[in-house]
Amino acid sequence: MSLKSDFELMARYNQWMNARLYAAAANLDEAELRADRGAFFGSILATLAHILAADMHWLKRFAGAMPGLASLDPVRAAPLPPLVRGITFPDFAALRADREALDEAIIAFTAEATDELYAQPLSYANSAGERHVKTSALVLRHVFNHQTHHRGQVTTLFSQLGIDVGVTDLSALIPECAA
């Protein structure tokens, strides 16, 4: 499997899982979404906001380094959200709309990008201002891994509330092989 195919699968998984989490979150009221549940970011809403903000920071880095990719134009045009601890996005409906738009951009990015592009170095500064140059594919792998890590935290918070978001395994999206 090429990196391109792998990342296209991961982008679909990201979108699929986010849709499941946001659908579950939509059944909670604002107080339940904002309640401090002892998680790293406190609440369900803050954790969802962190995932979105981190994804946007990473995609902005790719967008800046890869100006020829039209799929990243919506990312270039979007504001850069702050990376802070706690509730950073008070409006769930707007957060959900931004999440859906960013997921579409991630899918478009992985559809447009090539294995050759993924092999290129990505030069960026992190949120602390530290400069790095790393292989684009490995950085994108980190982005998908980071999403999965924090979505796992959200599914745990839902589970503690008695909410089952259903199957969360990537294997649900892996196609069957012909026998």
Side-chain angles (χ1 to χ4, degrees), residues 24-37 42-45 87 157-158 161 163:
N27 292 318
L28 299 175
D29 64 31
E30 282 289 318
E32 291 171 313
L33 285 172
R34 293 172 180 270
D36 187 341
R37 304 196 179 280
S43 69
I44 291 168
L45 186 61
I87 299 208
L157 297 175
F158 283 137
L161 292 170
I163 299 168

Side-chain angles (χ1 to χ4, degrees), residues 95-176:
L95 179 66
R96 188 177 196 177
D98 286 351
R99 176 77 264 172
E100 290 169 355
L102 187 56
D103 287 347
E104 287 295 330
I106 293 169
I107 285 175
F109 169 49
T110 61
E112 184 179 10
T114 63
D115 284 338
E116 294 74 26
L117 189 90
Y118 292 133
Q120 294 178 4
L122 178 70
S123 178
Y124 66 92
N126 66 15
S127 57
E130 301 163 337
R131 302 280 321 152
H132 297 278
V133 179
K134 299 184 179 188
T135 305
S136 293
L138 296 176
V139 174
L140 187 55
R141 172 68 61 218
H142 163 73
V143 173
F144 288 126
N145 187 65
H146 179 263
Q147 296 165 345
T148 300
H149 167 70
H150 288 300
R151 282 194 304 259
Q153 293 172 336
V154 175
T155 59
T156 297
L157 297 175
F158 283 137
S159 180
Q160 291 169 353
L161 292 170
I163 299 168
D164 181 4
V165 298
V167 175
T168 61
D169 292 331
L170 173 62
S171 63
L173 296 184
I174 297 172
E176 296 289 333

Side-chain angles (χ1 to χ4, degrees), residues 55-80:
D55 285 357
M56 183 60 81
H57 277 252
W58 282 112
L59 268 289
K60 285 266 193 194
R61 292 169 184 147
F62 280 104
M66 302 172 179
L69 293 182
S71 58
L72 293 174
D73 285 347
V75 173
R76 288 183 195 94
L80 186 64

